[in-house]
Amino acid sequence: MTEESTDARGHRPADATAQAGVQDLKSVESLDSGNEMERGLSNRHVQFIAIGGTIGTGLFLGSGKSISLTGPSIILVYILVGVVMFLLMRAIGEMMYRDPSQHTFINFVERYLGRGWGRFAGWSYWVALVLLGMTEITAVSTYFVTFFETFGIDVSAWKWLIELCFLVALVGVNLIAVKVFGEVEFWFSMIKITLIVAMIATAVVMVVIGYHYPAVQITGSDVVTPAGHAGLDNILDGLSLAPNGWMAFLMSFQMVFFAYEMIEFVGVTVSETKNPRKVLPKAINQIIIRILIFYVGALIAIMAIVPWRNFTANEDGSFASPFIMVFQFAGLNWASALVFFVVITAASSALNSLLYSAGRHLYQIASESDSPVLRKVGVVSSRKVPARAILVSAALIIMSPIINAFPQVSSAFVLFSSASSAVFLFIYILTMVAHRRYRRSADFAPDGFVMPAWKVTNTIAIVFFVFVYATLFLADDTRGSGIAGLVWLVLFGGYCLLHERFQNRDLRAALGQGPRRDAH
C-alpha cells in the first residue's frame, strides 16, 4: 500500500487504528506512484470483460449435462451460485476500490492474512491459471476440428499447429498494449452475447407461435431426439426440486460453480482501468443482471424448447449442445457450425484472459521475489505490459500438446488440471477472509464501495464455498480433485506458512550477521 502511514508490507501500525474510517480515500493518482502499468482500459472494455468473465464454453456446451442432473431446478442453482459469486465480487470490489493501484485482488490476501498465505494464494492462483490455460488451448483445437468437420473437412492431424497459431496470436494481442487486449475482449464478448440473444429470441418466437418440430438427429448426439413442441409446459411438466435424487441436485452445485469460474477476472484489470472508482462499481453491480439474462434467460429458453428429460448422455459421457438443439429444431441445420464458431470464440476469449491474468500474477510474484532470476521476470516492457511474465506463462501453456502426446503423463495432467479448479475455492475463501480483516482494519473506508451487511454476506459466501468443496467428495469422478486439492493445501500451504514463520525469526541478527533484509 502506498499510504504514508503504512509499513513495508502495507499494514498500518496499531496506533493508526483510531483513525479507522475517518480518512478520505486517497486519489488514484497518488496511489499510482508505484504503478508502472498503463490505464488503457475504458469503461466499454471493462464492462464487456466483465460480461466475458461470466460467459464461458460451459454455457454453450456443458449446460446440457447440468440440466440432465436436476431438470428445471437447475435455474434455481444458477441463481443461488450467481448470487454468491456476486458477493465475492462485492468483497473484491470493496478492497480494489480502496486501493485501485493493485494489479490483483490476491495482494489483499497477503496484506491482511500475512505473507505466508499471500505466497500460497499468489503461486496457487498462477499455477491454476496456467493449468486452465493448457486445458483451454486443447479445447480450442478440439472445437476448431469439430467446426471444420461440419463442412466435411478433417484437420485433426494439425491440432498441434492450430494450438500454436492460436497461442501465438493471443500472446501478440497481450504484448502489444492493454488497450488492444481490451478491444479484442470487447469483440469476443459481442460475439458470445449475439449468439445467446439470438437463441433466446428464436426460442421466444417458437413458444409464441406454438412451434412443433419432428424427430431430429442432433449434431453431437448418438440418438435421434424425439419430436416435440415449444412451450412453457415443457418446464412445468413434472416440476420437482430434485427429480433425479438429492445426490444429483447437490452435484449440480459444483458444475454450476465451475461454469462461473473466472468471474473474478475483472478484479485483475483495475490497475489498468481509466477512472477505476467509477467503472468498477458499475461493472460489478451489473453482474446480477447479466446472470439473469445470459444464464437464467438462456436456460429457460432452452428448456421451453427441449424437454429436460431429452438431455441424455452419449456413450462417451458427452452431451449435445443445447444451443445446437434449439437451432436445429427451428430448422437451422447450419447452426451447428455457427455454435462451434462461437464456442471457439469463447474458448479463445478464456485463453486470452488467462494469459492476461497469469502474466499479471507472475509479474506481481516476481517483482516481490528475493530471487535475482525471478526478479528479471517482474519487469514491465516499453509498452507498459509485463511481457516477460506473459511469455513465461505462455511457454508453459504451449507444453499442452507435448503432454497430451504421452498417455501416462496426460492422465496425471488431467488430475492436476481438475485439482486446479478445487484450488480456486481455496483462493475465494482466503479472499473473503481477507475482506473480513479489511473491514476490521484501519484501512476500512466507509465512503468507499461498501459491501452491504458484510458480516452476514461474507459468512454466507465462505460457508457456500466450503459446501461446494465438500460436494467434490460425493462422486468418483470428482473425488480425486478434492483429495488432490487438499494435498496441495497441506503441503504447499504448510510450506508457505512455515517458511514465513522461520523467516520472521531474526536469526541473522541473533548470530551476529546483521539484521535480515525484509522480504519485501
Side-chain angles (χ1 to χ4, degrees), residues 405-485:
F406 300 93
Q408 291 182 335
V409 179
S410 180
S411 60
F413 166 71
V414 170
L415 175 62
F416 282 118
S417 60
S418 60
S420 69
S421 295
V423 170
F424 272 87
L425 284 161
F426 296 143
I427 304 300
Y428 294 162
I429 291 171
L430 288 172
T431 301
M432 298 308 295
V433 175
H435 174 256
R436 295 182 76 89
R437 294 282 182 88
Y438 160 75
R439 288 300 296 256
R440 294 190 172 104
S441 75
D443 293 337
F444 170 58
D447 54 342
F449 181 45
V450 179
M451 182 180 182
W454 70 273
K455 289 184 179 179
V456 175
T457 51
N458 185 291
T459 303
I460 289 173
I462 292 174
V463 170
F464 177 81
F465 292 139
V466 172
F467 158 72
V468 172
Y469 200 96
T471 64
L472 294 175
F473 296 91
L474 297 179
D476 294 337
D477 59 342
T478 58
R479 193 171 296 119
S481 301
I483 294 173

Side-chain angles (χ1 to χ4, degrees), residues 2-3 25-34 101:
T2 57
E3 298 187 7
L25 287 167
K26 283 209 168 189
S27 68
V28 175
E29 290 74 20
S30 64
L31 291 169
D32 266 355
S33 59
S101 67

Side-chain angles (χ1 to χ4, degrees), residues 57-78 81 240-245 247-260 295 299 302-303 308-309 311-313 317-322:
T57 56
L59 176 62
F60 301 111
L61 296 180
S63 51
K65 184 175 182 179
S66 300
I67 293 171
S68 71
L69 275 177
T70 187
S73 64
I74 196 67
I75 296 171
L76 175 63
V77 177
Y78 266 93
V81 178
S240 172
L241 187 62
N244 292 325
M247 182 69 74
F249 180 73
L250 293 175
M251 289 292 295
S252 69
F253 278 89
Q254 59 170 275
M255 288 194 64
V256 173
F257 168 80
F258 293 134
Y260 281 115
Y295 275 104
L299 289 170
I302 289 167
M303 287 187 283
W308 67 270
R309 292 183 181 85
F311 288 97
T312 55
S318 64
F319 284 75
S321 165

Side-chain angles (χ1 to χ4, degrees), residues 9 26 64 108 150 172 300 355 368 375 383 389 400 443 506 519:
R9 295 189 179 182
K26 283 209 168 189
F108 296 106
T150 61
I300 292 174
L355 281 170
E368 296 180 349
R375 270 191 168 296
R383 295 181 178 273
S400 179
D443 293 337
D506 207 349

Side-chain angles (χ1 to χ4, degrees), residues 291-344:
I291 289 171
L292 291 175
I293 295 174
F294 299 123
Y295 275 104
V296 176
L299 289 170
I300 292 174
I302 289 167
M303 287 187 283
I305 310 303
V306 189
W308 67 270
R309 292 183 181 85
N310 290 353
F311 288 97
T312 55
N314 297 322
E315 288 186 8
D316 61 357
S318 64
F319 284 75
S321 165
F323 281 70
I324 293 177
M325 296 178 81
V326 170
F327 285 126
Q328 284 199 263
F329 285 149
L332 305 175
N333 293 325
W334 48 266
S336 58
L338 173 65
V339 170
F340 272 101
F341 169 75
V342 176
V343 166
I344 291 171

